[in-house]
Amino acid sequence: MDTASIGAYDDVRTASRALATEAVHAGRDDLARQGLHAPPIDLSTTYPSHDSRGEAARIDSFATDGADPAGPPIYGRLGNPTVARFETALARLEGTESAVAFASGMAALSAVLLARSALGLRHVVAVRPLYGCSDHLLTAGLLGTEVTWTDPAGITDALRPDTGLVMVESPANPTLAELDLRAVAHACGSVPLLADNTFATPVLQRPAEYGARMVLHSATKYLGGHGDVLAGVVACDEEFAGRLRQIRFATGGVLHPLAGYLLLRGLSTLPVRVRAASANAAELVRRLAADPRVARVHYPRIGGAMIAFEVHGDPHEVISRVRLVTPAVSLGSVDTLIQHPASISHRIVDAEDRRGAGVSDRLLRLSVGLEDVDDLWADLDQALGEPARTPVPLREAVR
């Protein structure tokens, strides 16, 4: 690749395009003029340069505002051309100025918290439920933050002079509860709203359009879409992106270039995958809601491929009996996954807080994939077993 054109795609802007078109072309707009079709993978950790004065000037510039260094790359911890393509594409899909990718979703959230804490803004207001590890990171104060948990109506009253962030997740993990993001953003006032958009993806909603200043993804899930890459990303304005790049450089939570390549490839099929999996999910919701073995079904108004449902019987038995569906953590892959949040993804959350957020001990979370829906139902049908006359007592595992 011509080093003079590395990063040049970041300057390519087109007229407004449909999301499906952006998913295929964003981050790749420069390829044809370079005689390329597939994006290249740049695996270099360092880059030669005989201009040490120029290197010094670019590093000084990065230290000032965190902007991507102009010209050829310097070092892998400062940035990578393949990862930058994914960041450009995700920002286009979310409708933000920039995006910054990290080695995992939790690394991305940690960078946000560190960036705000560095300004003396250590207090976070948050609404449950959140992903279990996000909840734990805030509750345990592992990064020196303090959290106030509240419901949406209490956000304004919970704000303090040192509040650096309001964090929500909608639809929420694992209950799929939805929030009015526009109303939440209004309640935040001048405090930035961070919305975890992992479940919805930009196919179903773009939180920045409702006032969220930062949009968080565990890119491991739908953005990658095939269960073979760990990553996180924050879509935001360029000013905050600069702070995140500086945090990423200092802490080393960088995304590997191969992961960046897989994510860029995953984005190209994101709209097709989300819509197809959502159609399967809607049909399974219809069948589960009519089934006497199921006590309650949770499914968001905006749709999507995630389902949560509570059973009258023992949820652990359902997990043990699935054969086509895979019993595993994570979500958003092309295959269907099921897990028991109270035992796994939200086990780290205090039991009282967990149940107070609607994560009951009988709740199962289903990430619906692209299999034939009748095959999925046949497996769930046999896994649910015979109808129980009365709810089966649960034996909780010893912690």
Side-chain angles (χ1 to χ4, degrees):
M1 179 187 294
D2 176 8
T3 56
S5 64
I6 290 176
Y9 55 86
D10 198 38
D11 296 325
V12 175
R13 291 291 181 264
T14 63
S16 179
R17 303 186 292 203
L19 182 110
T21 303
E22 289 286 16
V24 172
H25 289 280
R28 305 168 180 84
D29 289 314
D30 68 316
L31 293 179
R33 72 167 183 253
Q34 295 188 61
L36 299 173
H37 184 231
I41 306 175
D42 188 328
L43 295 174
S44 296
T45 57
T46 191
Y47 299 85
S49 173
H50 292 284
D51 182 10
S52 56
R53 292 186 182 87
E55 298 288 84
R58 292 199 293 151
I59 291 173
D60 287 346
S61 178
F62 178 82
T64 300
D65 58 14
D68 280 323
I74 300 173
Y75 182 57
R77 197 148 42 84
L78 272 163
N80 172 272
T82 307
V83 172
R85 289 183 181 277
F86 163 66
E87 293 171 330
T88 296
L90 193 276
R92 295 283 288 174
L93 291 181
E94 282 290 4
T96 59
E97 288 181 338
S98 302
V100 183
F102 294 85
S104 70
M106 292 307 300
L109 175 57
S110 296
V112 171
L113 296 175
L114 288 172
R116 299 303 286 168
S117 293
L119 300 175
L121 304 172
R122 299 180 180 275
H123 180 242
V124 177
V125 175
V127 177
R128 281 190 171 117
L130 297 176
Y131 168 54
C133 287
S134 299
D135 188 307
H136 176 67
L137 181 64
L138 294 175
T139 301
L142 296 175
L143 297 178
T145 57
E146 178 188 350
V147 63
T148 297
W149 296 101
T150 185
D151 58 30
I155 288 174
T156 300
D157 290 340
L159 299 177
R160 304 185 332 203
D162 64 339
T163 302
L165 193 68
V166 174
M167 182 173 181
V168 301
E169 186 173 349
S170 181
N173 185 356
T175 65
L176 301 174
E178 292 175 276
L179 299 175
D180 182 339
L181 291 177
R182 193 183 303 278
V184 169
H186 179 74
C188 293
S190 62
V191 176
L193 171 64
L194 171 65
D196 189 325
N197 202 35
T198 298
F199 275 22
T201 80
V203 176
L204 300 180
Q205 73 179 9
R206 307 209 301 179
E209 294 179 350
Y210 301 110
R213 299 262 296 279
M214 311 161 196
V215 182
L216 174 70
H217 285 272
S218 172
T220 306
K221 313 308 194 292
Y222 287 104
L223 302 189
H226 293 77
D228 55 9
V229 59
L230 282 174
V233 64
V234 179
C236 55
D237 60 46
E238 174 56 25
E239 181 180 1
F240 192 67
R243 296 291 295 169
L244 292 179
R245 292 187 197 104
Q246 291 173 326
I247 295 291
R248 182 177 63 182
F249 172 72
T251 60
V254 296
L255 184 66
H256 191 275
L258 179 58
Y261 173 84
L262 291 172
L263 288 166
L264 185 64
R265 187 172 70 169
L267 288 185
S268 65
T269 61
L270 178 66
V272 175
R273 287 187 286 105
V274 168
R275 288 166 183 149
S278 298
N280 275 351
E283 175 58 21
L284 292 178
V285 164
R286 186 186 69 81
R287 299 186 190 190
L288 288 167
D291 196 297
R293 297 166 293 183
V294 176
R296 187 179 181 189
V297 179
H298 305 260
Y299 190 63
R301 291 186 303 275
I302 64 171
M306 297 300 301
I307 303 171
F309 61 98
E310 298 169 56
V311 295
H312 289 298
D314 188 336
H316 302 287
E317 290 300 313
V318 178
I319 294 286
S320 71
R321 287 193 290 255
V322 293
R323 294 296 177 264
L324 177 64
V325 175
T326 301
V329 298
S330 201
L331 57 105
S333 186
V334 291
D335 60 323
T336 300
L337 307 177
I338 193 169
Q339 65 116 331
H340 182 242
S343 294
I344 304 180
S345 64
H346 288 69
R347 189 67 180 175
I348 201 168
V349 179
D350 178 80
E352 185 176 345
D353 291 336
R354 186 172 67 227
R355 292 170 186 139
V359 186
S360 79
D361 293 337
R362 295 183 184 275
L363 185 76
L364 292 167
R365 192 191 73 186
L366 190 70
S367 171
V368 182
L370 303 180
E371 302 93 338
D372 183 90
V373 71
D374 289 328
D375 290 333
L376 289 174
W377 176 249
D379 192 38
L380 289 174
D381 185 30
Q382 63 82 25
L384 286 167
E386 295 298 322
R389 293 183 180 273
T390 58
V392 178
L394 296 183
R395 293 180 299 169
E396 281 298 304
V398 177
R399 299 189 75 168

